[in-house]
Amino acid sequence: MQEAKPPIDEEKHTSWVKKVMAIIAIGEAVVIFVGIQFIPWGRADINLPVKAEPKWDSPTTRETFFRACGNCHSNQTVLPWYDVIAPITWIIKRDIDKGREALNVSEWGLGDNEAGEAADTVRDGSMPPTLYTLFHPSARLSASDKEAFVQGLVATFGAEHKSKKKVSDSIRFFPAQKDNSGTDR
Ligand code: HEC
């Protein structure tokens, strides 16, 4: 039995092409996503050896510090699985590097730090960064945590006032420009 060929359906044809294009695009995205997982940058120095720690005023202060600040201000960084996926790792690594540069409780006494301002940063809510606590709820500080923690930080690190520069509490993907005018570095 012979049937007459139906005329080419123009609309069907374009939607078919669109589908193939979409599949190719998704395929490419998957290949790129999988591919970048093999770029080791950012993973190697997440967890480094501890050289020296400050003399904490109490075990609670230390505990709270490691819970809320430790991932960016110590060498003992413990990241959840979703932080170890590129390109998230790269964004996080930037924060870890900059955070350790400002204050690293695992390399205490080795070089300058801004620990004196720690109490102030917690008091004014700039630390831990809001975007970070959004994705790392265990780092959140309740009002009562905060009060005790600020006291512990003052007892451990002293209380210098943050005046020279302001850290933007906004999105860390686009860190605020540091205002170096009038500072000593
Ligand atoms: C997501 C990573 C991250 C976490 C978590 C974090 N910080 Fe920071 N912190 C940074 C970065 C990045 C800088 C450097 C900011 C800059 O130079 O602009 C910084 C800077 C600082 C400074 C230097 C002064 C200043 O304001 O720049 C202090 C003090 C500080 N943090 C204390 C803390 C304390 C205390 C906690 C916990 C309550 C904490 N941070 C949690 C990333 C973090």
Side-chain angles (χ1 to χ4, degrees):
M1 228 203 318
Q2 283 251 331
E3 268 179 56
K5 270 191 185 166
I8 294 169
D9 187 331
E10 194 75 30
E11 234 170 75
K12 250 192 199 156
H13 179 73
T14 26
S15 83
W16 181 82
V17 169
K18 272 187 191 154
K19 262 183 210 149
V20 171
M21 299 282 276
I23 290 167
I24 290 172
I26 292 167
E28 279 173 352
V30 168
V31 167
I32 291 170
F33 178 78
V34 170
I36 62 174
Q37 304 312 316
F38 292 96
I39 301 172
W41 189 79
R43 245 167 269 164
D45 42 23
I46 283 175
N47 214 301
L48 297 174
V50 177
K51 293 180 183 158
E53 270 200 37
K55 204 169 167 292
W56 300 95
D57 75 308
S58 78
T60 316
T61 307
R62 183 180 185 277
E63 243 166 61
T64 313
F65 189 93
F66 275 93
R67 173 164 73 78
C69 328
N71 270 355
C72 305
H73 293 294
S74 85
N75 285 350
Q76 293 175 284
T77 304
V78 183
L79 298 177
W81 65 267
Y82 49 83
D83 283 347
V84 198
I85 295 172
I88 310 286
T89 320
W90 307 337
I91 297 162
I92 296 264
K93 176 172 158 55
R94 244 188 85 99
D95 273 3
I96 295 174
D97 286 349
K98 287 186 78 188
R100 283 177 181 163
E101 214 179 285
L103 163 63
N104 185 344
V105 297
S106 305
E107 302 195 0
W108 191 246
L110 309 166
D112 285 348
N113 66 66
E114 295 171 53
E117 295 174 16
D120 249 18
T121 62
V122 173
R123 206 181 280 128
D124 71 16
S126 61
M127 291 286 153
T130 311
L131 189 68
Y132 178 78
T133 53
L134 207 62
F135 294 104
H136 305 84
S138 63
R140 282 180 203 155
L141 298 169
S142 69
S144 61
D145 280 348
K146 225 171 167 177
E147 210 171 295
F149 189 41
V150 166
Q151 283 176 18
L153 289 173
V154 171
T156 305
F157 299 124
E160 257 168 60
H161 287 298
K162 247 178 75 169
S163 52
K164 293 181 203 163
K165 59 188 193 309
K166 269 213 166 99
V167 176
S168 137
D169 187 34
S170 61
I171 301 185
R172 297 240 147 224
F173 297 106
F174 306 104
Q177 284 276 203
K178 249 192 190 176
D179 175 14
N180 284 325
S181 59
T183 69
D184 49 2
R185 11 182 205 145

